[in-house]
Amino acid sequence: MFYRDERLALFIDGSNLYAAAKSLGFDIDYKLLRTEFMRRGKLLRAFYYTALLENDEYSPIRPLVDWLNYNGFSMVTKPAKEYTDSMGRRKVKGNMDIELTVDAMELAPHVDHVVLFSGDGDFRPLVEALQRKGVRVSVVSTIRSQPPMIADELRRQCDNFIELDELRDVIGRPTREPRVEETSTDTVDA
């Protein structure tokens, strides 16, 4: 439930939202996402959190980060840490939970409603703390994926759970039709 006169802030856990949308088979159109929440209330800020691989020549997330930065999103990034696990696999670690939590608590006195785009159960204490400050909290994630992308304790704590799949038609990128190569209908008689 949203009220037109309430002050909103969006907090997007980039990797979590990306994984949830991918599990549902669609891509997010961030321009549509921002427009949708501007329609639902007075959008003060839209934060996007992601870790970036600094040493790679090309990062696939870099064009998105640059676009978001120029189109009304407050970008919060930090260098991801690369390591090799015990099985010899290359792993990347770039948790942004603390940055998101600090920003949400600092902004809490200036907003009525926080929309958290993440299903990470580690955010349950943040949701509870925001609620103690009188801020309503909606969480956007999905239970329709296998396994569900939202932690049960986070879903129970928030004031409102928004199923990401139900936003597909509003914030999803239109799917591109695959090209069908023309096939010849000529037949040869033997």
Side-chain angles (χ1 to χ4, degrees):
M1 173 68 73
F2 287 82
Y3 302 103
R4 302 266 311 134
D5 63 337
E6 69 184 351
R7 298 166 301 167
L8 294 176
L10 309 182
F11 291 87
I12 302 169
D13 177 348
S15 62
N16 196 286
L17 179 58
Y18 174 81
K22 278 293 174 211
S23 74
L24 294 170
F26 75 99
D27 291 324
I28 304 288
D29 182 323
Y30 288 95
K31 185 175 185 179
L32 292 176
L33 182 145
R34 191 166 173 276
T35 301
E36 173 62 19
F37 285 92
M38 286 171 68
R39 188 184 65 71
R40 292 185 183 205
K42 294 177 184 171
L43 183 61
L44 299 183
R45 291 279 181 278
F47 292 94
Y48 186 95
Y49 298 83
T50 191
L52 298 171
L53 282 173
E54 295 296 325
N55 55 354
D56 281 3
E57 284 185 31
Y58 174 76
S59 169
I61 189 110
R62 178 54 73 185
L64 173 64
V65 168
D66 291 342
W67 187 91
L68 291 170
N69 205 18
Y70 282 104
N71 287 277
F73 287 82
S74 298
M75 296 304 303
V76 183
T77 63
K78 73 177 180 185
K81 305 240 188 303
E82 240 183 301
Y83 66 96
T84 305
D85 70 6
S86 60
M87 304 293 284
R89 294 178 296 217
R90 180 180 162 218
K91 295 281 187 175
V92 176
K93 183 177 176 159
N95 193 318
M96 299 292 292
D97 293 5
I98 297 298
E99 290 82 355
L100 190 154
T101 298
V102 169
D103 290 347
M105 291 304 293
E106 284 181 348
L107 203 58
H110 308 287
V111 297
D112 304 306
H113 193 158
V114 161
V115 183
L116 174 63
F117 290 80
S118 181
D120 188 339
D122 290 345
F123 288 122
R124 193 207 57 76
L126 168 64
V127 172
E128 187 178 27
L130 289 168
Q131 290 168 330
R132 282 194 306 268
K133 291 186 173 292
V135 177
R136 292 179 342 103
V137 181
S138 293
V139 172
V140 179
S141 189
T142 186
I143 58 173
R144 294 186 181 162
S145 60
Q146 283 302 330
M149 297 290 289
I150 184 165
D152 191 53
E153 62 272 16
L154 181 62
R155 187 168 173 219
R156 289 174 190 266
Q157 185 67 50
C158 68
D159 296 295
N160 185 30
F161 170 68
I162 301 170
E163 171 57 54
L164 180 60
D165 197 31
E166 291 176 7
L167 292 176
R168 178 191 304 250
D169 294 340
V170 181
I171 66 168
R173 262 224 219 96
T175 54
R176 293 187 180 120
E177 293 297 317
R179 285 187 171 166
V180 178
E181 297 296 326
E182 286 188 50
T183 56
S184 175
T185 55
D186 297 333
T187 57
V188 178
D189 292 332

